Amino acid sequence: MSKHQYPAGPKGYPFLGVLPMLRADALGFLERAAAEFGDFFPLRIFMSNSYLLNHPAHVEHVLQTNYRNYRKSPMAQKLKPILGNGLFLSEGELWTRQRKLIAPSFFRQRVDAMSGVMAQVINEHAAKWSARAETQEEFSLSEDMSCLTLEVALRTMFGNSLSESEGEAFSRALVVGNEVGAERIWNLTPITEIIPTARNREYKRAVETLDSTVWRIIRERRAAPETGDDLLGILIGARDAETNEAMSDQQLRDEVLSLLLAGHDTTAVMLSWAFHFLAQHPTCMEKLRDEADTVLAGCDPTPDHLKKMDYTKRVTQEVARMRPSLWWFARVAQEDDVICGQPIKAGTTVMISQYLIHHHPSIWEEPKLFNPDRFLPDRVAKRPKFAYLPFSAGPRVCIGSGFAVMEMQMVLATLLRAFDVTVTSDDEPELAPIITLRPKDDITARVKPRLRH
């Protein structure tokens, strides 16, 4: 192919391009297009060309080799009412400064220190499962995991939890923010976002709920004699190495909500999928339980235990491959570039889907099959480094990935060693690719005390 010959891509509608297909079924449309047009093809969206990149070499170039040339697309700015200029959306000098300030909070030693609080919250949640086991009520695993991970995030971040009513309102506001943010990504014009529709009013109330809760907690912490040793206290006490400046209250608010959304919603979604897949694969379930019985010996899991729980870690890795919570992202080239021989002009948007990369048939054997053993060390060594990116990759890799993996391992080991879980929803839930990759309908289940054989 000459450098002036552009690859073929899906045909769209006049003026709108492929936008209607993306709004109707983004993941399904991209899957079908990748199967037909390969790993590199154009997507015309509203008078402009974007490219879908679907190979680890493309990922490496955009996220690692030439990452400074690629910035978040304007589509991501649709999340700004909630996330502000937190790490997820900020760019340039602000992102570099904030990353340096926040990174020490997620060093391995600090994350390990949060495990005690995490274990306590999970044990309290296990008591709720015991009550459900007695009544044999059917419940939403999706909502249940959301409540659990929110409580973990709140206690490790704020040192205490919200009241039940405040926690429910906060959790619901995060869900609404996720849903409406995803809907707005494909809007042609911001005009539709300021019309006082019922949905826009609901979104405004959600943002107000999130703001009022976080601002109150920040004010109370600022007024306290000591800032505390939880995550918020660490962020309040952080100082820029060069200027000795602390974060402003606005920046604290933005970082807190960014970390809450990343540390609560994404982990909750992956845990729901984990129970779903393990219920479908009882052999995998028993291997995980046997490992928990042997390594934990009746104790609460600690970081030292988790280092020995190789199979449990492989389960979490496979869940994150099958259903990466953040399933796609877009970047805009700042200057002209070339990716694998293909010219990319400044201002061009490139899109990469973690879901498509994780299911690429030339990289993953039987990619639709749930198989934790594909993460055995010898098999990992044979795959390209950028074939697996549930937490993104390169310098902007998710700062809380270690926290999320530890939480998933502790939740699965603690709950599954004590309970039998029967998933009562569909065997193959339809996917709802909003900001996070959720089941369209909740995953539901019943639990009972575990029967040991």
Side-chain angles (χ1 to χ4, degrees), residues 55 98 134 136 161 169 195 216 296 344 389:
H55 191 278
Q98 289 304 111
E134 289 185 7
Q136 278 296 285
S161 62
I195 298 172
R216 174 183 62 76
L296 299 181
I344 300 292
L389 54 153

Side-chain angles (χ1 to χ4, degrees), residues 145-166:
M145 288 298 105
S146 181
C147 291
L148 171 55
T149 58
L150 177 60
E151 187 70 7
V152 168
L154 290 172
R155 291 223 208 151
T156 54
M157 181 169 286
F158 300 140
N160 56 13
S161 62
L162 304 177
S163 68
E164 184 174 352
S165 60
E166 195 174 22

Side-chain angles (χ1 to χ4, degrees), residues 27 29 66 99 127 168 192 196 271 293 330 339 356 370-371 434:
L27 181 55
F29 168 69
N66 200 21
R99 182 84 179 196
E168 289 177 354
T192 57
L271 279 168
D293 291 340
I339 299 179
L356 294 185
F370 181 79
N371 179 14
I434 49 178

Side-chain angles (χ1 to χ4, degrees), residues 145-221:
M145 288 298 105
S146 181
C147 291
L148 171 55
T149 58
L150 177 60
E151 187 70 7
V152 168
L154 290 172
R155 291 223 208 151
T156 54
M157 181 169 286
F158 300 140
N160 56 13
S161 62
L162 304 177
S163 68
E164 184 174 352
S165 60
E166 195 174 22
E168 289 177 354
F170 195 89
S171 181
R172 176 59 189 163
L174 284 173
V175 171
V176 171
N178 188 335
E179 293 174 348
V180 177
E183 293 164 5
R184 290 182 172 185
I185 281 174
W186 306 115
N187 284 350
L188 287 176
T189 169
I191 293 175
T192 57
E193 299 166 14
I194 60 176
I195 298 172
T197 63
R199 189 62 160 162
N200 284 339
R201 290 195 298 271
E202 183 183 27
Y203 182 67
K204 183 182 178 186
R205 289 193 298 271
V207 174
E208 290 171 349
T209 296
L210 297 174
D211 273 344
S212 63
T213 304
V214 173
W215 281 121
R216 174 183 62 76
I217 292 171
I218 290 174
R219 285 196 305 270
E220 291 174 354
R221 187 62 63 86

Side-chain angles (χ1 to χ4, degrees), residues 436-453:
T436 49
L437 187 58
R438 299 168 172 273
K440 185 174 182 180
D441 299 311
D442 285 353
I443 296 173
T444 56
R446 289 189 177 90
V447 296
K448 61 182 179 182
R450 178 184 170 194
L451 296 176
R452 287 177 168 80
H453 300 290

Side-chain angles (χ1 to χ4, degrees), residues 129 141 270-289 311-319 322 370-372 408-409 411-417 419-423 427 443:
W129 275 34
L141 268 172
M270 284 196 290
L271 279 168
S272 299
W273 286 118
F275 286 109
H276 166 78
F277 286 122
L278 288 170
Q280 287 186 324
H281 298 84
T283 300
C284 297
M285 174 88 79
E286 288 311 309
K287 284 183 179 180
L288 186 149
R289 288 168 145 180
Y311 190 76
T312 304
K313 183 177 182 180
R314 294 204 299 276
V315 166
T316 64
Q317 290 173 310
E318 177 67 345
V319 171
M322 292 282 287
F370 181 79
N371 179 14
M408 287 183 68
Q409 289 179 268
V411 169
L412 293 175
T414 301
L415 295 181
L416 290 178
R417 70 177 175 175
F419 297 95
D420 285 328
V421 180
T422 302
V423 172
D427 288 342
I443 296 173

